[in-house]
Amino acid sequence: MTTRQPSREHEGGCHCGAIGFVYRTALEPRDWPIRACQCTFCRAHGGLTTSDPAGSLAFVERVPGALNRYRFGKKITDFLICRRCGAYVGATMQAEDKGFGIVNVRALPSVFEQLPAPQPMDYESEGRTERTARRGQRWTPVVAA
Amino acid sequence: MRIEIDARPRSLTSCNCSICRRLAALWAYYTRREARLVTPEDALSAYRWNDKLIEFYHCNTCGCATHYESVDKNPESRFVVNARCMPDDAIAGVVVRRFDGASTWKYLD
């Protein structure tokens, strides 16, 4: 049973502090969906991601130039990596002038131990339209920092 | 990025310290005699923190953590490779040990 409480703010970021984010969600950490995408990028980074379409997400680049926006495959997604410490903190995409994102919960030490077991996900067969539609429904709206 | 190793890893270490947790690395321990970077070093960035005795390397393009090394480099010094960059068949069946780098500095198994 999913528990809805007043929205809480979770601050996370890379190891060296150059890239941060604020993730707001009313979901309790034990109810967060944790996805282990099986694509080559996510497997190499051991990415464990979450999102809440009813929440909000803001990324901040505290050290100018530290944010590496890496694109591959369909090239519709920015994978956000710190150039200094190498941490993968999350990803964003634009769809119809709106931004959506996910966070890598490995960059959220305050709640990491409370999270449920990750579910392996395979999106390889998705087309561009299908992928954009899924993320529009499932990813977190991105707001200004 | 390309690293050559002389042998398959005997075990892998998953550490929960602040940097290893973020990098999600599965460390395979070698010395500089047993493993080496083939790619030019300028394709990678090095990151030092805390006591600054080791350098964590990641790819400048995709950010993947590749390996860490002792700052003091000699043939017997550490060259620790992230097995998440290895092909699946190189690590199939290799045991993963959990290391509590966050607090007790001991293996948890």
Side-chain angles (χ1 to χ4, degrees):
Chain A
M1 173 98 188
T2 298
T3 329
R4 284 256 167 212
Q5 303 286 336
S7 185
R8 271 174 59 195
E9 210 171 84
H10 301 276
E11 284 191 38
C14 71
H15 189 264
C16 72
I19 313 296
F21 60 77
V22 177
Y23 175 48
R24 292 191 74 96
T25 179
L27 295 170
E28 290 293 312
R30 64 172 180 272
D31 296 325
W32 291 8
I34 307 297
R35 298 184 283 262
C37 171
Q38 297 298 298
C39 81
T40 52
F41 175 89
C42 291
R43 289 184 60 193
H45 278 277
L48 299 174
T49 60
T50 195
S51 59
D52 177 4
S56 72
L57 174 59
F59 288 97
V60 55
E61 183 179 20
R62 298 196 190 97
V63 175
L67 180 59
N68 173 12
R69 295 177 177 272
Y70 173 62
R71 290 191 172 192
F72 70 103
K74 294 182 170 57
K75 298 193 166 65
I76 56 174
T77 313
D78 286 337
F79 291 87
L80 309 179
I81 298 154
C82 177
R83 289 189 197 281
R84 302 204 308 179
C85 65
Y88 160 49
V89 297
T92 59
M93 76 170 294
Q94 290 287 126
E96 294 170 5
D97 296 333
K98 288 186 187 135
F100 299 94
I102 49 175
V103 294
N104 183 2
V105 294
R106 292 187 180 278
L108 262 175
S110 58
V111 298
F112 191 81
E113 301 293 347
Q114 306 164 46
L115 302 174
Q119 301 299 307
M121 309 299 281
D122 184 352
Y123 305 113
E124 278 302 303
S125 61
E126 273 183 342
R128 188 184 175 118
T129 309
E130 199 181 351
R131 179 161 299 177
T132 305
R134 168 177 57 81
R135 290 174 172 177
Q137 289 174 3
R138 211 183 277 179
W139 281 23
T140 310
V142 168
V143 297
Chain B
M1 184 286 302
R2 196 169 175 84
I3 287 174
E4 276 180 0
I5 50 176
D6 288 349
R8 274 163 46 104
R10 276 170 296 184
S11 70
L12 303 174
T13 293
S14 169
C15 171
N16 62 1
C17 81
S18 60
I19 182 71
C20 292
R21 173 174 285 172
R22 282 177 170 83
L23 300 180
L26 294 175
W27 298 121
Y29 293 89
Y30 296 97
T31 62
R32 287 173 62 82
R33 195 192 296 282
E34 300 164 330
R36 62 209 67 87
L37 186 66
V38 178
T39 312
E41 202 163 298
D42 61 8
L44 306 178
S45 291
Y47 175 59
R48 295 185 193 182
W49 68 290
N50 202 3
D51 57 18
K52 299 187 166 54
L53 294 177
I54 55 177
E55 290 177 318
F56 292 85
Y57 285 82
H58 62 270
C59 171
N60 285 337
T61 305
C62 68
C64 290
T66 57
H67 69 289
Y68 75 79
E69 285 186 62
S70 305
V71 172
D72 178 24
K73 297 182 199 316
N74 63 66
E76 300 309 320
S77 65
R78 284 178 293 177
F79 190 103
V80 182
V81 181
N82 183 6
R84 287 196 195 263
C85 298
M86 294 183 190
D88 284 348
D89 58 1
I91 56 169
V94 178
V95 65
V96 177
R97 301 192 65 195
R98 292 187 305 130
F99 185 75
D100 186 18
S103 52
T104 62
W105 205 250
K106 287 179 179 157
Y107 278 96
L108 295 168
D109 46 48

